[in-house]
Amino acid sequence: MTQSAIAWLDELTRLYTPTASEFDAARRHRQSIEIRLNTYLGLHEMFEIGSLRHGTGVWNRSDADFLVSLKGIQPGSPWTMLNRVKNTLQERFPSTTVTIRRPAVVCRFSDADVEIVPAYPGAGGYLIANPSDGWMKTYPKDHNQYVNDVNKKHNGAAKRLARQVKIWKYLRNVPVSSCYLEMRSAKHLDGEIVYSALWDLYLALNKMHAVGLASMNDPTGLGSRFGSCSSDSNREDALSKLSTAVSRAQKAKDFHQDGENEKSIEQLKLLFNQ
């Protein structure tokens, strides 16, 4: 019996779901990082954020992310904060490559990459380094709750769709923010009554293309706008690849509607570079 296009997409999604070992490897480093930063810089709290923790990560692609809320007076420049954290961790882990990738400090351990997002608490949220310049306010706990609520509304589909769009990003080397893709996917499904795998994959991609990957308002109404790309050149590259993706996703759902599963799967394979 011919495999359906939806079954093929489900299989791909399962294939790129992170394994338990990915979680374990990253979390093994948490305690030593937390002790080091608390001892030398002072911490209010450290907690896990990002796609691995939140259930939208991609196998062998997503890092473990932790937000660290620092004590003390917030410096004028986020670069001061980032360099303090980088230097403190580099001294603790001299054989590990430690770099700054705004808004995070990345520790590239031999068994896992761990991203530390330094922050200062403020008015219910956190001030972190803006990827472009200056400071930005973020509310990761509220953002996760928003995605969780939409996900519950659609019986797990919001996180499934977010993971699929991220799989496309990584397999097609699209220079667009994973957080942006996740929030756009959740916002799309928040406005839908029912979920249909191929239709919603196409619609989510098409909506992002229609707005030209423009920054989106925080759907919780709390934080700063979510930017899509780190530069104009990356945005042009991402838009070009997104245009192709929209065309292939549309053909995949149209062929599926017409009962032509093999042709639908062919388009999905092109979409995800399989």
Side-chain angles (χ1 to χ4, degrees), residues 174-229:
V174 186
V176 62
S177 162
S178 293
C179 181
Y180 179 86
L181 295 178
E182 178 167 331
M183 299 309 291
R184 281 286 187 192
S185 298
K187 185 177 180 181
H188 159 68
L189 277 186
D190 195 20
E192 300 295 311
I193 298 174
V194 296
Y195 167 73
S196 176
L198 296 183
W199 262 100
D200 285 303
L201 177 60
Y202 159 68
L203 289 172
L205 292 169
N206 190 50
K207 285 181 179 179
M208 286 187 279
H209 184 259
V211 299
L213 288 175
S215 296
M216 67 175 290
N217 291 328
D218 182 346
T220 67
L222 294 171
S224 305
R225 286 164 63 83
F226 291 94
S228 60
C229 303

Side-chain angles (χ1 to χ4, degrees), residues 134-176:
W135 298 88
M136 65 179 287
K137 181 69 73 69
T138 185
Y139 296 81
K141 295 175 183 177
D142 297 276
H143 297 154
N144 284 351
Q145 188 60 53
Y146 171 76
V147 176
N148 285 337
D149 289 344
V150 180
N151 195 55
K152 184 178 180 180
K153 171 183 173 183
H154 289 285
N155 298 313
K159 293 187 179 183
R160 192 179 316 130
L161 176 61
R163 176 170 283 138
Q164 289 163 358
V165 176
K166 290 180 186 181
I167 293 170
W168 162 75
K169 159 197 163 76
Y170 289 116
L171 297 187
R172 280 295 179 186
N173 194 28
V174 186
V176 62

Side-chain angles (χ1 to χ4, degrees), residues 21 31 50 198 200 219 256:
S21 61
Q31 185 177 16
L198 296 183
D200 285 303
H256 175 71

Side-chain angles (χ1 to χ4, degrees), residues 41 59 222 232:
L41 299 180
W59 172 74
L222 294 171
D232 288 340

Side-chain angles (χ1 to χ4, degrees), residues 12-26:
L12 180 78
T13 307
R14 285 193 297 272
L15 179 64
Y16 281 94
T17 297
T19 63
S21 61
E22 287 188 72
F23 291 86
D24 296 340

